Amino acid sequence: MDTVTIEANGRKLEARRGEPILAALKRAGIHVPTLCHVEGLTPTGACRLCVVEVDGARNLVPSCSFPVADGMRIKSDSPRVIAARRTLVELLLANHPDDCLFCGRSGSCQLQTLSQDLGVRQRRYHGVKNAHSRDVSSPSIVRDPDKCVLCGKCVRVCEEVQGVAAIDFIGRGSHAFVGTAFDKGLNVSSCINCGQCVVACPTGALQERSNVDDVLRALADPELFVVAQHAPAVSVSIAEEFGMKAGVDIDGAMVAALRRVGFKRVFDTSFTADLTIMEEGSELAHRIANGGVLPMMTSCSPGWIKFVETFYPEFRANLSTCKSPQQMMGAVIKTYFTEREGLDPAKVVSVSIMPCTAKKFEATRPEMGRDNVPDVDYVLTTRELAELLRITGVDPAAVEPETADTPFGERSSAGKLFGATGGVTEAAVRSVHWLLTGRELEHLEVAKARGLDGCKEMRVRIGDLEVGAVVVSSLGEARKLLDQVKAGERKDIQFIEVMTCPGGCINGGGQPLGIGREAIAARMKALYRIDRGASVRVSHRNESVQRLYDEFLGKPLGERSHHLLHTHYTERDVLV
Amino acid sequence: MKPFLHAEDLERHRESLVAAYDPDRVRITVCGGTGCNAQGSVKLVAALRDAVGRHGLAADVEVKVTGCHGFCEKGPIVVVRPANVFYVQVKAEDADELVRVTLKDNAIVERLLYHDPASGTRVVHEQDVPFYAKQTRVILAENGHLDPTSIDDYILRGGYSALAKALTAMRPEDVIAEVKQAGLRGRGGAGFPTGVKWELCRKQPGADKYVICNADEGDPGAYMNRSEIEGNPHLILEGMIIGAYAIGARHAYIYCRAEYPLAIEQLTRGIAQARECGLLGEDILGSGFSLDFVIKQGAGAFVCGEETALMHSIEGKRGMPTPRPPFPAQSGVFGKPSNINNVETWANVPLIVNRGAAWFSGIGSEKSKGTKVFSLVGCVNNTGLVEVPFGTSVRTIVEDIGGGTPRGRKFKAAQMGGPSGGCIPAAAIDTPVDYESLQALGAIVGSGGMVVMDDSTCMVDLAKYFMEFIQSESCGKCIPCREGTRRMKEILDALTRPRRKEGGVDALLRMQGLMQLEELAETIKTTALCGLGQTAPNPVLSTLRFFRDEYEAHLYDRQCPAGSCKELVGAPCQNACPAGTEVWRYVAHVARGEYNDAFRVIRDANPFPSACARVCHHPCEKSCRAGASGGGEPIAIRSLKRFVVDRVPASTYRPLARRPGTKSARVAVVGAGPAGLTAAHQLSLLGHRVTVFEREAVPGGMLVGAIPAYRLPRERLSAEIEELLNDNLDLRTGAALGRDFTVDGLLADGYKAVYLALGSHQSKTLDLPGEDAAGVIPGIRFLKAYNLHGEGLARGRVGIVGGGNSAMDAARVALRQPGVESVTMFYRRSREEMPAYAEEIEAGLAEGVAIEELVAPLAVHTKDGRLVGVRFQRNRLSEPDASGRRKPEPIPGSEFDAPLDTLIVAISEAPEAGLLDGLKLTKWGTLAANPESCLTSRPGVFAGGDVTTGPSTVIGAIAAGKRAAMMIDRYVNGKLLRVLPKVKLPSVFVAPAGDADDEGAPPAERVRTPHLPLAARVGNFDEVELCISEADACGEAHRCMRCDLEFTQPV
């Protein structure tokens, strides 16, 4: 490798030729604060907090974008650098609402941390603060432009990672702010509710629309029967909210904690993931056999669904008609379960715990319920669940693990794999193989579907059939693939799995904040570990699923399934 | 037209055009630039064509629309060629006369010629107009000749020959070498060497390269790029094609702001013509080189002048800068290597290729080669486009080309380079304009905006204006520029505003603010992302560097010295009056015919209304907005005051004196001049018992001793002083300090405080041998001898050394004495710089006083102990001093003798030091007193007026007396001798006179104050200046712009 020698704070360092100063310093253990830096994206140099002193340069240089050069002498801790950084943070604070005590990001706010780290102890700059109104129009995301520091990360993530570009900078100078086209509400924008902007946001400017209070109210109402379901990716990430390291699975403790909080039943969404595989697998087999629309595309990620409806309505027929596991669970709770328990569906409150902000939107879709009763009443993100537990004083680290409730508590590890990109494909391959050949796969693990790559391609042999499958995560990747399909270049694909968020639900917009790629990899590994150690590793062996078909649904793609477990899609006309 | 396939085709076409061109044909060229168009040039062209037709000249005379001549101040401009008769401000109505007289009668329409105010003559030829005479027009050379809509006209005059030369005789490397050798540097701002930039881009791998012309001219007041494009679009196109050839670019963009429709029209047409001629497109002139153009219209964001932002804008993205590296040469527009240059940089290229690097580098200064076009605007007589070689001084541009600052105001500074630049203060007016010299002063060449400011411009306000501009034009991307500039603007806002509350947090914040300004400026400068941000604090840094005292005046004294910050100044007239007279208020009363009310307002602020109505130097008029920004002449305020005091008996309003009580004390005032009497009178009103001691037999001080009766009649003065006396005030004349009493004695006698208002009665001497001869008289002694004792000391040929008011008074008094043959004033600087009031100088000259300027006395010739003459040496003006005034410097060998019988030395006066025994003096020999508390080095002893300041003004002495009275009152009552400066804003609403609203009426002219006819003044001391009539007073008062209403008008 081509290396150069630089000197940083008096110390000689090796650095890769042409790499940004920031990267070289980071490797050497020198922390340089940043607000706008996003790993993997082109530096924009907006926040200027990463400035360092370079010998010979008239001004301070931004280390995020400035490449190292041989013999370069850098100071990242000189009084000039410190004074500049401090002034910058003070300037941000001068235009900040100062309501940390009431802010959902208090404690996880990077501005707060910066201010503390730099030792800002005095309010020196005063003046007019920007005043915008909060945008609460979206069921998923609340925008508070007053707390925005204009780092632009949300804009770049939305455009560069997700290919959506629902938000951008508006206005000039100190009046500049981040907003939607024509500064309308997020709900009428092209936002697909994924919440990646929330994950990117260093402050409280972007947060999920909280349903914690609704759930607390429901739990306190003796008239109501409140049940919970939790998504596969939640149990491997929520531990981080309680100080445990990334990748610890606390499934049992979480179930116990949910009961302590007052949920009457706790179900596992992985159960309906298995159910989804039964339906979706059958659908794929049916489409292949009967010349249906191909490639078939997965439908469990609601951001992706809205993305297709908004930007690629011509692909609606390619989407699997299966509801997502959350909505399947909602549907069977409000029908089969209430019938079985003799409950009034209107008195049953169904709460789902999801790693996702788009699920909040999905739950509000008009087709997701019956007789004006929604299948899922409230969606809590992983973060909101942690908040709920803290409010109610339940420490998941201090409870004995318990198992989920029947009838929807049993799951195969295939269903659990839904939490990571490639998981749906892997689960589907396992079951479709059985569906079509009647035999189990020899090697259950589909290595090509695993890992954090944004686009993974594979050809899968199922008996006589060879299926081309592509697994993409992030809508930017999805867009690339769709454009190829649209151009007729991908006749080789029959199946496409799309997860809205890069890496899948383990990196969903509702997951614990302030984590890096390593944490996401650890969450992923946790899911694979669970799969490795599981006794039931294929969806079609989930006995509760089989019982559900026997007692209630009939068979996959049957009439009852069709009514309860399948849905349809609409073209969305948005402003931009 | 058939496209030229080879360079020879172009040459052949040119030859045919030249052959068909008749240089002697009469052409009436009319400027069609945006400036002239706005002033009616389109109609004018039609009228001229019509007139030419009507006079039957259609066949022989061509009416041609050309590009901008640059002298926009005087548009529309018409030049009749080949005779080169230069007409200015021609209206459509003038067309017929112009054609008839110039072309039929072969004469000249005198009234349409340029009138040179300096020489007072009319100039016939363009090249003789001073505005053009000192310019070197290279870029703009063709503008006044060329029809910008015709490519043939361009080719005829040599156009595209540089392109042909480059394509046929030069390799791309040769072109770059030529440009490098010429020393051409970027004309858009930082001055990066153009050839080096091209080379960087040429060396980049890849065949897809771009050249871009930055025509996003956005600096306030700058419009040279606009005129360059509008007047000669092909010059820029040709430069870009050559540049693209040198760089190896296939695509060219012109990024021009949409607010320049005419420029865009010319470019669009130009590109189409060039394409049609095969000068653009595939295989240009058979060279194998291909290029095409796209014009991109910018929406007018200032930041889009920054190259990375501009390129994003071209790509259709939001115009926001990105970090460099990568540089545009590596990854520019659409990620391809790109080279971006300013309009004017491109325009230089054909000239360099045609005439060679040596020619180009022969123009300009050592490191800055060639010429630069500046747009000269602001407080300067001739605004317009000025092209000069680099290295030309600011003085040449402002004074010689620009004709100096209007209305006799002083040049204060020139803002160079727009919001990213800085200012050149008057002291640095001789700075050569080039990249390095300006940078050393914290300014930049920038794109060439040059905004001239006179002394009515407040530099804090200027900085505020630019910060306002920057903070709203910042793209908002990086924190320092977005958040920092707005805080800087807010700090400047706070500085230019009165306090919200007295003292406390508000004051502290403002103090902090000034300190933070520099800190913020430093942070923004060193951390901002792009050039716009990094230079954003420059206007503040620059003004802080050269005008820190103005910032401090705003901060500590709540004063705007230039009288421009509205919220601190209120009504400028009131603000300018040292005594704080509510001028606007009495003027408003005069307009309403409420003369008694007017008198009351005057008298309330000033115990000497009648004296001031005659001799005040009226700073109020100097700052009057009707004169300054109103573009006309200030209100004749002193004449209005004279009208009021002459009409209203003083007895109408006599302030009541409080009866002495427990808070009263005995106070001694020494000196019955304006300072002493004002202090005494004010103290007496407050109930103190005051004794005034006056050395002379009559009170009045300099008012009676120095000012002659023809300016201030004695009976008016004594009546006025009489009005000031009351039961609390005892005036003792003939009682001299040091002779009849001492300060010690006064304090021992029970006076709680003593106010020394002794004046400055000691004339300074020339320090020449023979000065003690008979016939040499100190100025004050001469004036006093006559004014107080009726003694005429002058005789024969009288010379006066000095140029101030005392010198002028002495001259005019001498002129009135019997036995005087002639009176000549000798002054070391030029007449314009004489400190005497202009109207006094004029009156003196009218009466027969002669003035010898730029002379200094060397020796006094005597015979038998008596003066016979004086030897003088002539001076010339040299380098300016810190105030921007040029110092007089003797010319060796220029000595001459002036035979004189009387020499009056009136160069200045000082206090009589002998009287101030024991009190601390300043280094100038004046009595040291704290300017705030008026206290001298001795407790209980206060001082003010000329004794502390040296010779000054009447109204200054009155203001000093008022302040002293307030301080002495506080002193005897044991209060702190400090008051926070207060902003005095108009607070009383006086309804405008009923007929004040006729806005459409033409602005009336300033009233001319009547004077005693010259013949009636001879040999007597009758008052020279007379009172204006009631009708004139009313009319004059109606001219007032009523600045007060902004503060007092009920909502």
Side-chain angles (χ1 to χ4, degrees), chain A residues 152-173:
Chain A
K153 284 206 251 187
C154 54
V155 173
R156 288 159 69 205
V157 164
C158 194
E159 182 184 342
E160 294 182 37
V161 178
Q162 297 297 57
V164 169
I167 44 174
D168 204 341
F169 293 98
I170 300 178
R172 277 190 230 163

Side-chain angles (χ1 to χ4, degrees), chain A residues 44 48 124 130 171-173, chain B residues 318 473-474 486 519 527:
Chain A
T44 63
R48 319 308 285 172
R124 293 193 307 154
N130 291 352
R172 277 190 230 163
Chain B
R318 181 178 159 93
E473 286 295 335
S474 158
R486 104 204 271 195
E519 189 185 307
T527 67

Side-chain angles (χ1 to χ4, degrees), chain A residues 272 275-276 279 299 321-324 327-329 331-332 548-549 553 555-557 559-567:
Chain A
T272 34
L275 185 59
T276 304
E279 294 291 325
S299 60
T321 57
C322 288
K323 286 183 182 171
S324 70
Q327 292 308 138
M328 286 198 184
M329 178 68 87
V332 293
L548 181 62
Y549 275 114
L553 292 171
K555 59 178 183 9
L557 305 183
E559 199 189 331
R560 205 145 200 185
S561 292
H562 176 76
H563 282 302
L564 290 179
L565 306 183
H566 290 257
T567 184

Side-chain angles (χ1 to χ4, degrees), chain B residues 158 162 262 285 301 336 403 471 631 992 1033 1040:
Chain B
L262 182 56
L285 296 184
K336 304 291 181 197
Q471 70 110 25
C1040 174

Side-chain angles (χ1 to χ4, degrees), chain B residues 65-83:
Chain B
V65 180
T66 69
C68 173
H69 287 247
F71 201 8
C72 311
E73 176 83 22
K74 295 289 173 194
I77 285 171
V78 174
V79 184
V80 182
R81 302 185 199 276

Side-chain angles (χ1 to χ4, degrees), chain A residues 44 46-48 59-60 65-67 80 88 92 94-95 124-128 130 149-150 169 171-174, chain B residues 318 320 323 325 471-474 476-480 482-483 486-487 490 516 519 525-529 534:
Chain A
T44 63
C47 76
R48 319 308 285 172
N59 292 330
L60 299 175
S65 66
F66 208 85
R80 191 169 166 222
L88 294 176
L92 284 180
N95 186 32
R124 293 193 307 154
Y125 299 105
H126 300 257
V128 177
N130 291 352
V149 292
L150 273 84
F169 293 98
R172 277 190 230 163
S174 53
Chain B
R318 181 178 159 93
M320 287 208 293
Q471 70 110 25
S472 60
E473 286 295 335
S474 158
K477 182 174 178 182
C478 76
I479 301 169
R482 178 183 76 234
E483 301 292 344
R486 104 204 271 195
R487 299 303 164 214
E490 285 173 351
Q516 285 168 351
E519 189 185 307
K525 206 173 153 179
T526 56
T527 67
L529 170 55
Q534 285 159 13

Side-chain angles (χ1 to χ4, degrees), chain B residues 185 187 189-191 365 367-368 372-374 388-395 397-398 411 413-418 420-425 428-451 525 538 542 545-546:
Chain B
R185 296 170 68 177
R187 301 301 197 234
S365 65
K367 287 184 172 170
S368 307
K372 178 79 197 82
V373 181
F374 291 95
V388 288
F390 272 111
T392 307
S393 73
V394 177
R395 185 192 296 279
I397 297 173
V398 171
F411 170 80
Q415 173 76 19
M416 301 279 304
S420 302
C423 56
I424 307 294
I429 191 172
D430 285 295
T431 305
V433 176
D434 59 45
Y435 293 104
E436 278 72 26
S437 308
L438 291 186
Q439 204 170 17
L441 284 169
I444 55 169
V445 173
S447 54
M450 191 188 261
V451 184
K525 206 173 153 179
N538 279 1
S542 169
R545 175 171 167 188
F546 297 114

